[in-house]
Amino acid sequence: MKPTLSQYFKGFTILRGVAAGVPFVPPLLSVCLPDSNTFVEYLYPPVGDFQRLGVAATVGFLLLTTVLVFRFCRSIRIIPLRAYVILVVGFVIGVCGLIAIYVPYVARVELASVNQEVLVSIGGERTEFARKAYQQKSDDEMLQIRGPWETEIKKLWTLRSIVAVRTLLWLFYTSTLSCFLSVASLAAYQLAVEEPPGEPTHP
């Protein structure tokens, strides 16, 4: 039986399908919770001025993922094991890529005046100004001196390198969530396929 779109999404409400909603939680909470909440910093990678647009793009991509899974599985009754294996491998690659970008290019800057720490993403190439003024300083030291503000970050690192780092952060983060969501979506689709047709109702 080929499930309808409504049956497919109904599978998301069943226990195995509940996991499909998990990838939406971090980006949405990062928008809903106040910026002063330290917990927010761990929900979404810091991408500067691109933050809200990035969250919207991530949520949109995740919604598209659920529809694409449904479209590609229309002619399949049993999801092949290799599909799950490919998605798990993609998830692992996404996590590794995110860590590889996060560790060297995301810094925590302490604001002593307000007793708060801020996560920011930086670039991979310093500007001419930064090379001359802070030749002997590390990235963390420059941020402590100049502050974690976008205007200062753009003075210290080239715009091209900042865009590259933040694009990769968004890409690896979103693809990781998308792979996780795809596995849950396949499970939801399988539930919809296995669901017996409803009994006809009689007046």
Side-chain angles (χ1 to χ4, degrees), residues 127-135:
T127 61
E128 186 67 24
F129 163 74
R131 286 196 293 268
K132 290 180 178 179
Y134 302 103
Q135 185 176 7

Side-chain angles (χ1 to χ4, degrees), residues 41-192:
E41 298 178 345
Y42 299 97
L43 299 176
Y44 201 85
V47 288
D49 294 335
F50 180 63
Q51 197 79 11
R52 290 191 178 273
L53 180 59
V55 170
T58 296
V59 172
F61 191 84
L62 294 178
L63 290 172
L64 180 62
T65 297
T66 63
V67 176
L68 289 177
V69 169
F70 175 76
R71 294 291 296 177
F72 285 131
C73 292
R74 286 288 287 166
S75 59
I76 302 175
R77 180 166 180 79
I78 299 178
I79 307 299
L81 178 61
R82 66 175 178 275
Y84 292 101
V85 172
I86 291 172
L87 290 172
V88 170
V89 171
F91 177 84
V92 172
I93 292 174
V95 171
C96 292
L98 184 60
I99 293 173
I101 298 296
Y102 202 98
V103 171
Y105 299 118
V106 174
R108 181 176 292 277
V109 184
E110 183 178 356
L111 299 176
S113 58
V114 292
N115 193 27
Q116 183 181 350
E117 292 183 333
V118 180
L119 279 179
V120 296
S121 55
I122 60 177
E125 179 184 4
R126 295 188 181 188
T127 61
E128 186 67 24
F129 163 74
R131 286 196 293 268
K132 290 180 178 179
Y134 302 103
Q135 185 176 7
Q136 305 300 325
K137 301 292 183 180
S138 66
D139 292 340
D140 289 337
E141 289 173 327
M142 286 199 302
L143 286 170
Q144 289 294 342
I145 295 171
R146 305 291 301 194
W149 322 120
E150 279 294 290
T151 52
E152 298 300 332
I153 290 174
K154 291 175 182 177
K155 289 178 183 177
L156 299 174
W157 289 273
T158 62
L159 183 60
R160 179 179 60 185
S161 67
I162 294 172
V163 170
V165 166
R166 292 176 178 177
T167 299
L168 288 173
L169 279 172
W170 180 88
L171 184 62
F172 284 122
Y173 177 82
T174 302
S175 62
T176 298
L177 292 185
S178 181
C179 287
F180 181 91
L181 176 60
S182 295
V183 171
S185 297
L186 289 176
Y189 183 88
Q190 191 66 58
L191 284 173

